[in-house]
Amino acid sequence: MLERVEVEAFLTLAELLHFGRTAERLHLSPGRISQTIKGLEVRIGATLFERTSRTVRLTPIGHLLHDGLRPAIDQAETAVAAAVAAAQGARIRVHVGYSTPWCGDLMISAGDRLLAESPDADVTFEEIQLSDPLSGLRTGRIDIQLSELPVNEADIVAGPVLVSEPRTLLVPADHPLAEHGTATVEDLADTRLIPIRGAAPDYWQAMHFPSHTPSGRPIPHTRPVTYWHEVLGLVAAGRGVTIAAARAARYHPHPGVVHLTFEDAEPIRYGLLWLAGRQTPAVTRLAELAAGVAEETEGR
Amino acid sequence: MLERVEVEAFLTLAELLHFGRTAERLHLSPGRISQTIKGLEVRIGATLFERTSRTVRLTPIGHLLHDGLRPAIDQAETAVAAAVAAAQGARIRVHVGYSTPWCGDLMISAGDRLLAESPDADVTFEEIQLSDPLSGLRTGRIDIQLSELPVNEADIVAGPVLVSEPRTLLVPADHPLAEHGTATVEDLADTRLIPIRGAAPDYWQAMHFPSHTPSGRPIPHTRPVTYWHEVLGLVAAGRGVTIAAARAARYHPHPGVVHLTFEDAEPIRYGLLWLAGRQTPAVTRLAELAAGVAEETEGR
DNA sequence: TGAATCGTTTAGCCCAACTCAACGATCGGA
DNA sequence: TCCGATCGTTGAGTTGGGCTAAACGATTCA
């Protein structure tokens, strides 16, 4: 097992890539950092940092160690912080994010069950924007959220799929497809899709606002918008079409907008997300409870 | 951040609940353990162990800290071990478990993709027994497995549902229900269900071999068997019925056994499981790849 | 080519981690 | 009820190693 100083020196140096500033941050001399890292490298049996007097870089093995150690240490610190908070008699606080009203409903039910178990818990909710689905988690404001998958980020844990909703195509009432009643993904090539401008990962954008049909035809996009409620107005005005979950028809009806079920699109999947290093007992429990609620209400 | 000795003293004492033996294991004097724990308690701000000169017990806050710290430290040690192994030029080793042939097929595909990425990886497979679905993981023999959910264990991480299969009822060909073609869960009350004797958690057993119908009628059980292949013979011989996934009809055909689809049963869900403290990069990557395979082959 | 920057090394100091031994509390058995 | 055994705690004393300072050497840029 590694000494505390070894872990701190390694993680800080991996972040700053500078012995002097690492020493400064840890209130140690540069020499000590050098010695500590050297000692670590002897224990591991490999160089962890490529360094000259001008540059410091992680080696592949250094990267491997960092990727494994960083979340583990974060988790340990979270555990200690939770114990300290409990010692000070702090209430359990969980801030829950959700991306759509149906996700919100599910999480509120789960939150109610958590409150039934721990009456003095403090469960709060926040709707997250599709334009920036992960920043709430990353800034630590949100502890756990139910939102659109896929999310494959190294620092984020994605729980099981809790909700799976068929995709629908939202078109103006006078659109040719509206008469037909259903749509196919190929039809998108003959429309203009309104994407939501976003800080989301590329694979996430590509999943929700595809740029090509399965056969490879390009899907024209309009200028992106920032908020979901802008989209409905634009669709009604005939400026384009958009893709949404089937339940949006119930939750977001809008005159002049017709919801067409896709014959062939993959459903939109929603799952729980939380930061790998910040999985408190309350987050774990809420995830379990939410899975229970999802199972019971399935298909409704 | 906690010192190494503090963490080791705390975790060892939480396990052994004995200052003397903790000191012995850590090659320290009992006095040092006492001082270290005292120091930790001051830092946390609460008593972590209730102790007299005769008994040592974790307080609730001690329990909280232990539940959070134990997996985090395991993860950190796994990360260090992985780095040491990589330094020694060790090949990536992953031992994959699966409970059914269709789970095996999926994991073998995922394993092939891992091999495509890391040609020198060493991916091996093992079929796990329904009678003891978790021991392979817990002993560390299996790194990751695809098997029946739900699994809610503190030390095990359950990934997303990768496969969802309708439940079917397996009855002898001359069974009254066989003519009808389908079954309901209520019908189970009029049969004798053959359960598999198991070391699985109670909720797992109750999910797969229910003892009551939804309306509350008891479901008779026969003597449990140990292996799945025994079940088919017993069903064919008219000794009872059993529940299996729909795909079992293709993978385990047996003369004299009829597979009836349920009209109302929940599907059997299969998901990835791994030990919370042993999530290596290879395990993470394999989980991602398996999710990809599952998505592509969905519905087949 | 020279100066500035930055990681490394070495020698030496000093503190805190550790041991030891005495102490006190608890419990079981006579 | 008393005695002895067990076990955690406390305090004094010691020593090793973690740490600093300063000299050194490598790299980069003007």
Side-chain angles (χ1 to χ4, degrees), chain B residues 18-20 34-35 38 51-54:
Chain B
H18 190 289
F19 280 76
S34 183
Q35 291 165 352
K38 171 65 81 67
R51 51 222 193 246
T52 67
S53 64
R54 306 298 286 181

Side-chain angles (χ1 to χ4, degrees), chain B residues 117-145:
Chain B
E117 291 180 4
S118 321
D120 65 332
D122 179 16
V123 186
T124 51
F125 297 90
E126 172 182 338
E127 181 170 321
I128 59 171
Q129 299 302 326
L130 285 178
S131 54
D132 193 7
L134 301 179
S135 75
L137 280 178
R138 289 223 167 93
T139 60
R141 195 177 64 250
I142 290 175
D143 298 306
I144 182 170
Q145 73 179 38

